[in-house]
Amino acid sequence: IFDDFILRFRDPRRFGAVMEEIWARATAKAFPNCRYAHVPGNHLTMVFGEGAAVVGREITAFAQAT
């Protein structure tokens, strides 16, 4: 059994989110041991600055909980 983690971000080139929140949450709910997390920024900025800090905190919390 795998634990899953879904990160959602926005892509300004596509006029909104790469995956709408409702679908991201539904996808996370469909998998056992999966957590949804919203990350500020887009697919590039989520790995720098505040986005990276959020990703790091969410991954750490997820790993500690599983």
Side-chain angles (χ1 to χ4, degrees), residues 3-66:
D3 292 321
D4 296 294
F5 190 77
I6 295 175
L7 295 172
R8 178 178 170 267
F9 54 87
R10 297 183 67 79
D11 184 346
R13 296 171 301 165
R14 297 182 66 185
F15 306 104
V18 172
M19 178 185 286
E20 294 300 325
E21 183 174 359
I22 191 169
W23 297 115
R25 288 185 182 277
T27 300
K29 190 174 181 178
F31 288 93
N33 302 320
C34 185
R35 180 182 296 185
Y36 165 86
H38 175 80
V39 178
N42 62 40
H43 68 293
L44 296 174
T45 62
M46 69 181 278
V47 296
F48 302 102
E50 180 57 26
V54 172
V55 170
R57 285 192 301 268
E58 291 291 342
I59 290 173
T60 298
F62 180 76
Q64 290 174 342
T66 57

